[in-house]
Amino acid sequence: MCAYALAGDYKKAMEIQLKGRALVDALFSDVNPIPVKTAMNELGMEVGPLRMPLSPMSDSARAALMETVKAYGI
């Protein structure tokens, strides 16, 4: 995306940005880094628990996050 933008191909850069928007929105659906660590742990990349004052995502939020992650083939 950055390479296309730097080369002046803003249409292609925007296309890539929009294609990934749902995933970016899902990864920032809660306070950073809660969704990112949740997704990584769920995918088997053990990054450890959240530290205080952060708290785990609700079951429904976690399910929605993982549905989006899997829709991107991750």
Side-chain angles (χ1 to χ4, degrees), residues 14-27 68 72:
M14 182 175 62
E15 190 178 293
I16 294 168
Q17 171 74 25
L18 293 175
K19 185 177 178 184
R21 183 167 178 189
L23 180 60
V24 171
D25 287 347
L27 291 171
T68 302
Y72 277 83

Side-chain angles (χ1 to χ4, degrees), residues 16-44:
I16 294 168
Q17 171 74 25
L18 293 175
K19 185 177 178 184
R21 183 167 178 189
L23 180 60
V24 171
D25 287 347
L27 291 171
F28 287 93
S29 62
D30 204 334
V31 176
N32 190 29
I34 295 171
V36 174
K37 287 189 84 167
T38 300
M40 291 180 76
N41 282 327
E42 290 275 333
L43 293 169

